[in-house]
Amino acid sequence: MIDPTINTDRAGEDFIADFTSLSRIGATPGGGVHRLAGTVEDGQLRAWLRNWLESRDFTVTIDAVGNMFGLIEWTPNAPYVLVGSHLDSQPMAGRFDGAYGVLAAAHAAVRVRRNVTATGQTPPFNLAVVNWFNEEGARFQPSMMGSSVFTGKLSAEHVLAITDPDGVSVEQALTALGYRGTDAAPETAAYAEIHIEQGRHLEKDGVSIGLVDATWAAHKYSAVVRGEQSHTGSTVMADRRDALVGASRLVVALRDLADTFADSALHTSVGQLFALPNSPVVVASEVRMVLDLRSADAEVLAEADARLHEHVAVIEKRDGVHIELTQAHFWGVQSYQPEGIDLARAVAGELGLSSQTMMTLAGHDSTNLKDVVPTVMLFVPSVDGISHNEGELTHDDDARAGVDMLTEVLARMCQGALQDAVLQHAAPAQVAQR
Ligand code: HGY
Ligand code: MN
Ligand code: MN
């Protein structure tokens, strides 16, 4: 246990003060934030974080897709334990989603370094804070973009060429902000992330810390509905091939699909829709939208996919439209390393914090990182489970407890506790070689 007397910044008051300051960037009248990836507000967030890190002697580096790292190097050439989340937000959304985790990571890293200085115990692993580019996938799709490049799931070239609805590319947006970096990403041995739950479980159960043991699966489709442009007044109804009617039937069919599975096993929505030519006196020729299906059960998702395609066939026939579904972003039901859950559960116990294991229904950058390095994913409670909404809220006490929790988990990961445990369970003989 690291010494709590030297590792709390005046009982977390500094953390709350910093979070209040960070929340002023892109603040909306309703108490939320509007800070999409690659926008001016994102640039202001990055400047704020860079200043915070550099004024505390972190070395800040930027990789090819704008992932931002704050490095503490104790041992030259040693790999890093990475800790962080994302600063970008959804439109008109909450100030905690992502930003809480980045600031908690920064504060936890300072506390771990303070302990290393006080004890003189140099950890075998270096430490880096990370702000991932475009986790939210609001302006540029797919979501979790920066960590997808870091983990090799997408190439930097492919991502830099992706454009937003106005035709602006990721490369142009990052270059305009000065964050089209050239630094190599740090060699990483393990990853930790703390995030708001964005659900009601912790609050309902009166538990302080969520230990995330697996992800719900997500199937996100890009859908293009094609019809025929015509006059909304003079075209006889039988001649119309109305893409917006076909798209609307698909939106409702997707919503009704969720009700055909018991116990809310399937979550569905369409959150984004563009109609062309979008004129009040023209029958739409084309509609582009994103279909989002989620489930904790892969079989439910497979069955939902099959039923969705049946609905598509019926709508095409009924409305004389053509519907093309393309896989935009899929991830399966996958587990986090159990050794990370054991480590975090032990820390929570020693800190006197209640904890419970749970799945995450939302994707996070840890959804990617856990596939390449041992990863610990932690939650703090969300009031009423509200998220992607200006009313998003986590109480100060819970926010501070999360920083205390992350600090201690991080200190042990820098000593190799997680890495060794994973190696031990993978092949006991290998540990001796480290
Ligand atoms: O869940 C999502 O798709 C988002 O990336 N958080
Ligand atoms: Mn998030
Ligand atoms: Mn989000």
Side-chain angles (χ1 to χ4, degrees), residues 249 308-320 323:
R249 282 197 226 278
L308 172 66
H309 285 82
E310 285 164 14
H311 283 296
V312 162
V314 169
I315 294 166
E316 284 184 317
K317 200 159 177 314
R318 176 171 180 177
D319 295 314
I323 299 176

Side-chain angles (χ1 to χ4, degrees), residues 90 135-136 143-144 220 292 294 331 361-364 388:
Q90 290 290 344
E135 188 281 339
E136 291 292 3
S143 59
M144 298 121 84
K220 298 183 190 179
D292 190 335
R294 312 264 178 133
W331 64 82
L361 284 72
H364 303 284
H388 287 190

Side-chain angles (χ1 to χ4, degrees), residues 15 82-86 96-108 130 132 191-198 202 208-212 344 353 364-366 375-381 394 398-410:
F15 175 79
L82 224 44
V83 59
S85 191
H86 62 93
F96 291 86
D97 179 355
Y100 167 72
V102 173
L103 190 63
H107 273 257
V130 58
W132 297 110
Y191 178 66
E193 179 167 357
I194 195 162
H195 200 282
I196 55 169
E197 179 198 337
Q198 301 174 299
L202 291 175
S208 302
I209 300 289
L211 310 173
V212 179
L353 295 171
H364 303 284
D365 293 303
S366 68
T375 293
V376 175
M377 181 70 186
L378 303 169
F379 276 165
V380 289
T394 290
D398 290 328
R400 276 191 289 260
V403 182
D404 294 345
M405 179 75 195
L406 187 64
T407 298
E408 189 59 39
V409 166
L410 210 45

